[in-house]
Each structure stands twice: as structure tokens, then as C-alpha cells.
Amino acid sequence: MSNPTEYAQPPAPQVDPDSAAYWQGLAEREVRLPGCAACGKVRFPPLDSCPYCGQPGGEEKVLSGVGTVYSFIVLHRTFHPAFEADLPFAIAVVDLEDGPRIAARIEGPPEAVSIGMRVAATYFDRESWTELRFTAHDN
């Protein structure tokens, strides 16, 4: 049987050259994603070329982190033991005002989450990385 303390932290994300700026931005309290120089669209997940027009590369953009809940689910069971103490919680797909759709946890009681709810980025520090989350936003 595994030692429960080994699950105190969830596994860290696997940072690659395409996502390094995104993860570094979260650590610095910014949502940074690549934007296409050809078509202007911002993409998530961070990729080495634009999925919309195929243009390679891109320019790093700092986004506002404000958006609207497009869809959400409430988790009552979790894929990793490190999250069990947090149950239940909501994971939402958020339409960012100045970017793409992005999935992240919503802070607060899951029964308070609704489609169309305005949210703003917040940052949750883990042992070796920072997790993007969202909180209710009044505007």
C-alpha cells in the first residue's frame, strides 16, 4: 500500500518548450499564451504553430485573465488522491475576453458556479508550479 503523504501534492505539469512561457507566466501571476502573427488568434494550449492558419511560431501575449464560464462540471470523485480533501469542486471551460477557451478550476462553492458567470484568473501555488484557477468577477 502507498504512503498517503506521497500524495500531498499532485503531479507537476510536464513543461515543454511550447508551454514554458505559459507556466512561467502563471508563476509571475500572468496568463501568457502565444498569438499568431499571421491571423492574430491566441491559442490554448500553447503550440508551436497556429491551429487556425498553420503559421509557425507566434508572439507571446499577456492576457487579462477575465472571461465567462462557457461550461462546467462538478467533481465528486477525483483522478488523483491529492485532490480528495477538496471535493466537491468545479472545473470550468472559460471563454477569455482576449483569448481562447481555457479549462481551470473555479474557486468557491461549486453550487455558486453557473454558465455565463464572469470570472477572473487567480493563481494557486503548488510545491514546484503554479496552477491557474478562476474566481467570480463582478464586471
Side-chain angles (χ1 to χ4, degrees), residues 53-77:
C53 72
Q55 179 75 24
E59 181 179 296
E60 185 178 298
K61 306 274 186 188
V62 176
L63 307 180
S64 69
V66 175
T68 305
V69 172
Y70 173 79
S71 181
F72 72 96
I73 60 169
V74 176
L75 279 76
H76 296 276
R77 299 172 106 190

Side-chain angles (χ1 to χ4, degrees), residues 50-118:
C50 181
Y52 304 102
C53 72
Q55 179 75 24
E59 181 179 296
E60 185 178 298
K61 306 274 186 188
V62 176
L63 307 180
S64 69
V66 175
T68 305
V69 172
Y70 173 79
S71 181
F72 72 96
I73 60 169
V74 176
L75 279 76
H76 296 276
R77 299 172 106 190
T78 180
F79 67 91
H80 193 279
F83 297 104
E84 285 180 8
D86 297 340
L87 293 172
F89 60 88
I91 301 286
V93 175
V94 174
D95 282 331
L96 294 175
E97 284 181 345
D98 48 0
R101 284 186 177 149
I102 191 168
R105 183 169 166 173
I106 304 292
E107 287 287 301
E111 59 273 8
V113 179
S114 61
I115 292 173
M117 176 180 168
R118 300 278 297 154

Side-chain angles (χ1 to χ4, degrees), residues 12-35 42-48 59-65 92 94 96 99-105 121-125 128-134:
Q14 300 221 349
V15 178
D16 59 27
D18 295 330
S19 67
Y22 171 75
W23 294 111
Q24 183 62 39
L26 295 183
E28 296 173 8
R29 305 316 199 236
E30 294 180 337
V31 178
R32 292 183 199 155
L33 290 171
V42 179
R43 56 189 179 262
F44 183 83
L47 302 168
D48 63 351
E59 181 179 296
E60 185 178 298
K61 306 274 186 188
V62 176
L63 307 180
S64 69
V94 174
L96 294 175
R101 284 186 177 149
I102 191 168
R105 183 169 166 173
T122 189
Y123 307 90
F124 186 80
D125 290 321
S128 64
W129 59 286
T130 302
E131 177 185 348
L132 174 64
R133 293 187 180 184
F134 287 95

